[in-house]
Amino acid sequence: MKVYNAGIIGATGMVGQRFATLLANHPWFRVTKLAASSRSAGKTYEEAVGSRWMMADPIPENLRDMVILDAAQVSRVAEGLDVVFCAVDIKEKSVLRDLEDAYAKAEVVVVSNNSAHRSTPDVPMLVPEINPEHCEVIPFQRKRLGTRRGFVAVKSNCSLQSYVPALHPLRGYGLSKVLVCTYQAISGAGKNFETWPEMVDNVIPYIGGEEEKSEREPLKLWGHVENGVIVPATAPAFTAQCLRVPVSDGHMAAVFASFDRKPEKDEILAAWQNYTAEPQRLGLPSAPKQFLHYFDDPTLPQTKLQRNLEHGMAVSIGRLREDTQYDYKFVCLSHNTLRGAAGGAVEAAELLAAKGFLD
């Protein structure tokens, strides 16, 4: 596989730091540029991050002395790059959309962790094990942008990565309605306990915008490509409630699901056990060997024990049983900054590379 020149924009934040650790020794991507806000521009990565480094691993040696560029200077950052991984934290979504489009128009492939483009109809929102066929919209997006190779691809909301993968193999039974309650780690807010002491011994029953994303985004993931856009699915009906809990990493979900044709429990377990997808067939470097893991022990999965399963890229499931209001209920767990954020974006870029979209 060709080695592609990569940049990280928003490199100093938590997700940007995670990108840095994942890409430092990646076999397909070589980080040649780091960019962040004008406040960090001109400093080395180590100077810019300083005491705000939040990863367990140290700053990668090959990035430590790299000088940060101003992410707003698009042409300068984009020059010589094949792909940029976007972890920019801008509250104004229209500004972020414009920035990502500008990089795409500079003929760079943009793989974004952000939500700004998730509802754009011709922007694929990729979970490689679920909807690799959505890459089919890329030529239509390029036509809209007027680019030869540049385009934007995004990953979905981090909490979806825990429960949508478990529901995906069951759609053939006519998945009709889903209730999900998510219990989300503080790193999903870009925080740790040192920077957010209010979260110690506390639960906050509100995460702005999260419930709307949890109810809407699965339908785009399960949509189909028609006339150059992604048409969202119309079922199942979702309702969600999202809580912030005092956990460093790992989003857990309690899932309740009903079907038009209720499967047997053994059928569900077999569907999870036997599920494989294009990333596994292609042997993508970040893809877990087994995407879905079911645990018979009713005390599992546990956040501390299973969040790093298969380098944090697998999804853990447990406690499958029948329910009095829905057909079945179960719990799921995924690592929110690996599978749910930077790791999922890197795997998406690997899929794009394997399919020739980075060439």
Side-chain angles (χ1 to χ4, degrees), residues 215-224 230-238:
E215 295 170 354
R216 181 178 65 249
E217 290 186 16
L219 300 177
K220 182 173 182 179
L221 290 176
W222 289 329
H224 68 278
I230 299 164
V231 180
T234 57
F238 269 93

Side-chain angles (χ1 to χ4, degrees), residues 18 249-251 307-308 312 314 333-341:
R18 182 66 79 180
D249 294 303
H251 287 354
R307 63 187 168 198
N308 289 313
L333 172 72
S334 66
H335 195 300
N336 57 296
T337 70
L338 289 170
R339 165 53 67 177

